[in-house]
Amino acid sequence: MGEPIRYEDFAISIEKDGEGRLKARVDASPLDRSEGPFTQPDPAMDAEAWFEELEGSVRGFSGATHDDGSWTVETSGAADDQSLAEQRGQELFDALFQEEVRKLWDECRVRMENRQGEGLRLRLVFDRKRLREDFDSVAFLPWELLCDPRGASFLARNAKTPVVRHVVTARDRAPRSFYKGFSVLLVAPRPAGTRPLDQVREAQLVKEALAQLPEVKVVEPEGQTVESLLEAISASVPTVLHFMGHGDFGEGQTEGGLFFEDDEGQPHLVPGSQLAGLLQDLEKPPIVVLNACGTSMLPRLDAKNPYSHVAEKLVAKGFTTVIAMQFSISDQAAIQFTKHFYRALADGLPVDGAVARGRLGIAAQASAAANEWATPTLYMRSADGYVLDRHKLEGDRLVSTRPLAVLGIRTFMHNTEPMETYVPKENILSLTGSFDGRFLREKLTWAGDILPRVTSFLAEGRQRQEEVKLLFDAHLSIAVAAGWHAGLRAGQPITVTQRLPWGGVQELRLDEGRRSESASFEQLWSLEEIKLPKGGQELAIVVSVTHLARSDAEPYLEDVLAGRVGRVLYLAIRPAPAPDGLRGARHALDLAHSLDRLVRASGHDQLTRTKHLFLCAPGSFAYALGAYVRGWGPVQLYEHDLERTQPKAYAPSLLLEPAQLQAPSFGE
């Protein structure tokens, strides 16, 4: 049995800079963000020959043939199969990981290697709007071959560093991690005249791998036509749709498809766009496994169609997890991948970890098929790949295998994908009924109606698991209060999930071990201190991370708080506030730590005097800052009316007082 792995994203997007050159940008990592140049590999031969030579190497034959026999591959003979794969993989690694990007990757890997049960997921984000005309030439490179030349280690073959492709689309993401029931629908067409496959053996391996979980069902449709597939999906609502058969590009076609049977058992090639369209109106299977040749491969003679293979067509229609094959794959390799993939799922690994285990299973073979481990590709747009719990079965209810509680607090509806995309519905505390826009409804109070529900909800959730993941679609006061009660040394790892501009989420694990020891206040913040003419003895702190808060805070300070506040600290992150100004967990902790030191130096001896905190920042930073606010004495929080539905932009929310920490709370 394998140990569950908890992955953190290292998300890289390749895009154009202001001068039209390609660059690699780290959008998310466990520590920070960064960017560096991207040098597209320049093959010595034309692109078509480059791919064909590589596929011949991966297949391990000097004359590998595609399923329909339409073309052959002749390798150069200059290098053996493994060294050619290493060469191509090292070229890709050196093209992607340069300068600051490589430094950050190395630092994150070192941290992950030293943490048992944790891994670093390399998420390659491909956005047509960012890449423009270079999308096809970049997105369809054989990224699964990425090989670190410093140790000749293939990233995708290591369960600690799975490689995931994330194609940005306009489609909503489906809930990914919690299901009632778990079933695998096995589809195995055998149309007349096509090369025989050992589908019986492959199906048996799936059943054997999942037999230890009696609540898991394996369904096989009576027929192998497209109509029978649709009927089986409607009847069984499978978690996994597993296709084992043949895929190819039709003669003269620039779009790939899958071979089904027609009513007479003859081959019926269904293009990917047609299949995706038929499946679109059904309840989409969360995972699609296409164990068939060329299902994530560009046609050799036309690379201009942005969605020219089956996997891309499914992704474009909203499927969030698709496993497909970028080269032709031997029957032996396909069977080995299936066996080890489902065994890993049954052991409790997430999909990306299970794919890595499947690659390793192929590589362990004592035959030419061992080189085919790079053939599977994984397209995954979900936050993580957990779907099946090996240890916690409650009747027909399968819950997440993650050794953590995934919790969400919602006080308003987010304008992108719903919170249920990332958090199971039963783990969400929804307080939307208590608010009218950004403000509390009449006769309700933050202290009496909101804070007790938040703290009790989090206390119960934290008691269930060793680790907690939080997502806030909520007022910043909620995130600050959560960090204030829990602290950073509560003996339980806390991860705050932050939404990202490209549509995914970044998981920021906030603990003191991720804070930099060298970052100084002057490097992180610009500061201006103002003394108010009618000032009192209290201190106001106006913090700008995503947007400038000063223009809205000043009128409130001069009017409502006149006579109470004598000094104001205006802080803005360097170089300037921006919606994506937070660079990661290390940046959030450095910002909060340095801000805490400044506030303590400015008035630490006045613990009985209220600090007024005006905050414009992401929820993850608000949580981190809340952990430091514990040492400030009484702290009054304020909420901003983003829609400006009321005359004043700010209104008081929670008053955090040290006396509250003496009572049992969810962090103690």
Side-chain angles (χ1 to χ4, degrees), residues 94 179 195 206 227 247 359 460 521 543 634:
D94 288 337
Y179 305 96
R195 179 168 56 87
V206 175
E227 291 79 5
R359 297 186 197 281
E460 181 183 351
F521 177 84
V543 181

Side-chain angles (χ1 to χ4, degrees), residues 260-321:
F260 287 85
E261 299 176 13
D262 64 15
D263 292 336
E264 282 73 42
Q266 296 299 309
H268 176 204
L269 182 62
V270 180
S273 58
Q274 180 183 347
L275 180 64
L278 292 171
L279 296 177
Q280 184 178 11
D281 295 332
L282 299 175
E283 186 167 346
K284 299 181 180 69
I287 303 172
V288 177
V289 180
L290 302 176
N291 213 352
C293 296
T295 43
S296 68
M297 174 182 65
L298 274 181
R300 294 300 185 233
L301 300 178
D302 185 352
K304 296 180 180 179
N305 189 337
Y307 297 120
S308 55
H309 54 68
V310 181
E312 285 288 347
K313 287 295 186 181
L314 293 174
V315 169
K317 291 294 186 182
F319 286 82
T320 59
T321 304

Side-chain angles (χ1 to χ4, degrees), residues 532 534-540 557 561-568 612:
L532 299 182
K534 298 180 181 179
Q537 299 298 312
E538 297 174 355
L539 175 69
L557 291 166
L561 295 180
R564 292 184 59 185
V565 171
R567 288 186 302 149
V568 185
H612 300 264

Side-chain angles (χ1 to χ4, degrees), residues 376-407:
T377 61
L378 170 59
Y379 292 81
M380 190 174 82
R381 293 187 296 124
S382 55
D384 62 39
Y386 279 106
V387 291
L388 179 59
D389 187 346
R390 173 63 180 82
H391 307 291
K392 295 180 63 179
L393 296 173
E394 303 169 4
D396 66 349
R397 179 81 166 90
L398 290 143
V399 296
S400 172
T401 196
R402 291 169 290 191
L404 53 83
V406 185
L407 308 174

Side-chain angles (χ1 to χ4, degrees), residues 92-237:
L92 286 171
F93 188 94
D94 288 337
L96 183 65
F97 292 100
Q98 300 186 49
E99 300 175 4
E100 296 303 316
V101 174
R102 180 175 291 205
K103 291 179 183 177
L104 183 56
W105 169 257
D106 289 343
E107 186 176 354
C108 291
R109 278 213 66 178
V110 168
R111 287 176 180 259
M112 290 296 106
E113 290 292 341
N114 294 333
R115 296 174 184 267
Q116 186 175 4
E118 295 192 13
L120 190 63
R121 175 193 299 114
L122 178 60
R123 185 185 293 270
L124 300 170
V125 182
F126 303 114
D127 188 341
R128 180 166 291 278
K129 291 181 180 179
R130 290 184 178 185
L131 276 167
R132 302 195 290 274
E133 69 276 5
D134 290 304
F135 179 86
D136 299 305
S137 62
V138 171
F140 299 108
L141 288 168
W143 292 106
E144 288 68 27
L145 283 171
L146 277 166
C147 180
D148 190 336
R150 295 164 294 183
S153 58
F154 293 101
L155 305 186
R157 210 168 69 182
N158 187 341
K160 296 277 283 186
T161 55
V163 175
V164 170
R165 296 174 181 238
H166 181 126
V167 177
V168 176
T169 76
R171 300 284 175 178
D172 290 336
R173 294 157 190 81
R176 299 295 300 120
S177 300
F178 289 71
Y179 305 96
K180 289 188 175 181
F182 188 100
S183 63
V184 178
L185 176 62
L186 296 178
V187 182
R190 304 174 182 86
T194 58
R195 179 168 56 87
L197 302 172
D198 196 350
Q199 296 156 312
V200 174
R201 174 61 177 157
E202 186 172 346
Q204 185 61 33
L205 288 170
V206 175
K207 296 173 185 177
E208 290 176 358
L210 300 175
Q212 55 187 309
L213 303 173
E215 287 79 3
V216 174
K217 300 176 183 178
V218 178
V219 180
E220 297 178 88
E222 293 183 2
Q224 299 298 330
T225 64
V226 177
E227 291 79 5
S228 63
L229 167 66
L230 300 179
E231 291 173 1
I233 291 177
S234 298
S236 62
V237 191

